[in-house]
Amino acid sequence: MTDLTRKTADELAQSLAAGDVSSVEVTQALVDRIGAVDGEIHAYLHVDAEGALASAADVDARRAKGEQLSYLAGVPIAVKDVLATKGVPTTCGSKILEGWIPPYDATVTARIKAAGLPILGKTNMDEFAMGSSTEHSAYGPTRNPWDTTRIPGGSGGGSAAAVAAFEAPLAIGTDTGGSIRQPGALTGTVGVKPTYGGVSRYGLVAMASSLDQAGPVTRTVLDAALLHELIAGHDPMDSTSIPDAVPPVVAAARRADVQGLRIGIVKELGGEGFQPGVQTRFDEAVALLTAAGAEVVEVSIPSLEYALGAYYLVMPSEASSNLAKFDAMRYGVRVPPAGVDDPSAEQVMASSREAGFGDEVKRRIILGTYALSSGYYDAYYGSAQKVRTILSRDFAKAFADVDVLVSPTSPTTAYPLGEKLDDPLAMYLGDVATIPANLVGIPGLSLPVGLADEDGLPVGLQFLAPQKADDRLYNAAAALERMLEEKWGGALLSRAPELEVAR
């Protein structure tokens, strides 16, 4: 039998429907794979083998009875540890939530369970999704399967690494400033940030409520579309949820035709500051799109120069407000102050937060609290929101002339672990191409387009589309994916080095 862990979600779905394999067999193969390689990768914070196998057995039994099941029923999935999972630990990569077991499921989790996808476990992440390398997890960093001395990106490096290391065919990530797309670029996987409000945020532990969005992490564009369709749709539990019908993303991924498509290259997102190998692979991918009949033009979005600054005011401001709930009074870690016999509530809060939050979280809380403080709100947070309005207008103007926009997803390939830990500003600059989509609420997709000449590491190309036009991403990306795989003679991940297997 072909190695089940190497099959795409679509291939597994077809095999399961045909009766060629059972969900229990697939799930067990993935549990075994996790046991063999995750000691090196550390993609997972918690593996729920028992729960996943029980879910798989239930799907097999229902299939045997002839019940009508969802297309992906029986295909296992990993979930980023920022989404509530009833009865399974949810820590957000933080010590302050160590041991917390939610009494409810996030809407995304509930939809996954209702569709019959066994949940393999919870994936590692930067604490409260604050970071671009997954080095800020309180439980240790995740390593890139392409080179285990390098980062997998962040904050959702665990989900991307799990998919890239064949420890899961599907995963859920969340994207506040690129935390699905940037890890996708650095690990050679497909990562999608849906339109803001397209996927429910109920049960997603918030960092920045106006920016956060859950989405798919997969190995192919079609797999991403299948998962996107499953988790998307209106949710009355989320006041920001879009009531409109889900865009036809699966049909778009199957169509994969760019003939006559108008594609805009974002002038401000390329050239100086971008690694030569990244720019080369991007230019080659654009040339393939042109050869396939797409009309490619250069587009300028002048306000992009202010996007990074606006983001790093909006995000920490909202984070400082959202994280105020972690006060050691209701749930999470409680650490009494040393040397105080009868501490006040404020003293317990202070000592618990000191012990429970990591340095990056503290840095952003301090920055956000300052930006929201009396006398500074209008100068900082208020001004950043005005930049968002200008940026939205500039994107709307660009989309009046083109169907989709493209840029490199990340300015560089994966850098060595520890290289930027002491230089947070350098790390923040790595999100320059992904942050704008979150500020204006538009969908984005990162597709692997090759390996950089300098280091042989994956490069990603980012597609952006107007709000609620997520299907445009899938059509264009699937067409480019097909052309690239024809050129390479197979998927990019087939060229990834073999991981050392634990015995």
Side-chain angles (χ1 to χ4, degrees):
M1 183 185 294
T2 304
D3 185 351
L4 294 174
T5 66
R6 301 276 167 161
K7 286 182 173 287
T8 67
D10 182 51
E11 291 169 342
L12 287 171
Q14 293 183 47
S15 295
L16 287 163
D20 297 333
V21 69
S22 70
S23 180
V24 168
E25 288 175 308
V26 175
T27 304
Q28 186 63 61
L30 287 159
V31 168
D32 292 344
R33 174 69 176 176
I34 294 167
V37 304
D38 203 55
E40 182 178 12
I41 300 301
H42 192 37
Y44 287 86
L45 289 178
H46 177 80
V47 178
D48 185 20
E50 183 179 346
L53 288 166
S55 175
D58 178 66
V59 170
D60 288 339
R62 290 164 56 200
R63 198 185 300 275
K65 292 177 183 177
E67 289 188 23
Q68 187 71 30
L69 302 175
S70 76
Y71 183 75
L72 290 176
V75 179
I77 188 170
V79 175
K80 187 177 180 181
D81 199 32
V82 72
L83 286 151
T85 43
K86 185 177 181 180
V88 175
T90 299
T91 69
C92 298
S94 178
K95 289 291 185 184
I96 208 163
L97 279 178
E98 187 172 18
W100 183 60
I101 299 178
Y104 71 102
D105 279 324
T107 295
V108 168
T109 308
R111 288 178 176 174
I112 288 169
K113 289 181 177 180
L117 280 70
I119 297 176
L120 294 163
K122 308 297 290 294
T123 57
N124 198 11
M125 56 182 284
D126 285 298
E127 185 179 6
F128 287 106
M130 297 186 193
S132 303
S133 65
T134 317
E135 293 173 287
H136 293 294
S137 169
Y139 304 99
T142 296
R143 297 176 180 274
N144 193 320
W146 286 84
D147 180 347
T148 56
T149 69
R150 294 176 182 260
I151 66 159
S155 64
S159 288
V163 171
F166 302 99
E167 298 180 63
L170 300 168
I172 296 293
T174 61
D175 194 308
T176 305
S179 293
I180 292 175
R181 290 163 290 152
Q182 183 250 20
L186 271 52
T187 60
T189 55
V190 177
V192 183
K193 184 203 91 69
T195 294
Y196 180 78
V199 175
S200 173
R201 290 186 302 109
Y202 177 73
L204 190 168
V205 181
M207 175 172 71
S209 302
S210 72
L211 304 169
D212 299 338
Q213 187 61 73
V217 179
T218 65
R219 290 196 285 272
T220 71
V221 174
L222 178 57
D223 283 1
L226 291 166
L227 183 53
H228 185 150
E229 186 178 69
L230 188 154
I231 62 174
H234 180 61
D235 177 19
M237 300 295 287
D238 177 2
S239 62
T240 62
S241 178
I242 296 172
D244 303 354
V246 178
V249 293
V250 175
R254 296 189 188 280
R255 184 168 66 250
D257 182 10
V258 294
Q259 181 70 41
L261 191 74
R262 298 171 301 164
I263 298 176
I265 300 174
V266 182
K267 176 183 176 183
E268 290 80 5
L269 296 178
E272 186 179 354
F274 284 71
Q275 184 178 320
V278 169
Q279 190 67 49
T280 298
R281 294 292 89 82
F282 171 77
D283 292 342
E284 291 172 351
V286 171
L288 285 176
L289 291 167
T290 303
E295 178 187 341
V296 179
V297 297
E298 187 175 76
V299 172
S300 178
I301 301 178
S303 56
L304 275 177
E305 67 174 301
Y306 307 112
L308 197 68
Y311 175 84
Y312 278 102
L313 285 169
V314 172
M315 177 274 295
S317 295
E318 296 186 6
S320 72
S321 176
N322 280 321
L323 268 62
K325 68 172 74 73
F326 300 108
D327 55 11
M329 297 293 111
R330 288 158 290 187
Y331 48 79
V333 170
R334 179 178 295 182
V335 181
V340 181
D341 293 332
D342 186 21
S344 66
E346 289 80 6
Q347 288 173 316
V348 173
M349 287 182 198
S351 61
S352 298
R353 287 168 173 168
E354 169 62 28
F357 287 142
D359 289 345
E360 183 63 22
V361 172
K362 292 172 184 173
R363 181 182 295 117
R364 298 194 192 195
I365 289 173
I366 291 168
L367 177 60
T369 303
Y370 180 79
L372 292 175
S373 61
S374 177
Y376 294 100
Y377 180 96
D378 290 333
Y380 293 113
Y381 185 75
S383 295
Q385 293 289 32
K386 291 175 184 176
V387 169
R388 292 180 80 171
T389 300
I390 296 169
L391 194 61
S392 295
R393 290 172 183 165
D394 281 356
F395 268 99
K397 183 178 179 181
F399 284 126
D401 298 325
V402 298
D403 299 307
V404 295
L405 296 168
V406 292
S407 76
T409 309
S410 172
T412 69
T413 54
Y415 49 83
L417 287 159
E419 182 176 275
K420 298 184 180 180
L421 271 178
D422 295 327
D423 190 357
L425 289 179
M427 190 177 289
Y428 297 166
L429 288 170
D431 299 328
V432 64
T434 53
I435 277 171
N438 300 83
L439 287 172
V440 300
I442 61 175
L445 182 154
S446 180
L447 178 74
V449 293
L451 305 177
D453 295 329
E454 301 95 327
D455 48 32
L457 294 171
V459 173
L461 178 146
Q462 174 182 234
F463 289 94
L464 299 173
Q467 289 182 359
K468 299 188 284 189
D470 304 52
D471 51 315
R472 296 188 194 179
L473 302 176
Y474 287 99
N475 174 51
L480 179 56
E481 178 184 54
R482 184 184 62 212
M483 289 184 282
L484 287 166
E485 292 191 356
E486 288 175 359
K487 176 182 174 182
W488 299 332
L492 186 67
L493 275 169
S494 66
R495 296 156 65 182
E498 289 293 329
L499 293 169
E500 186 175 338
V501 176
R503 299 296 181 186

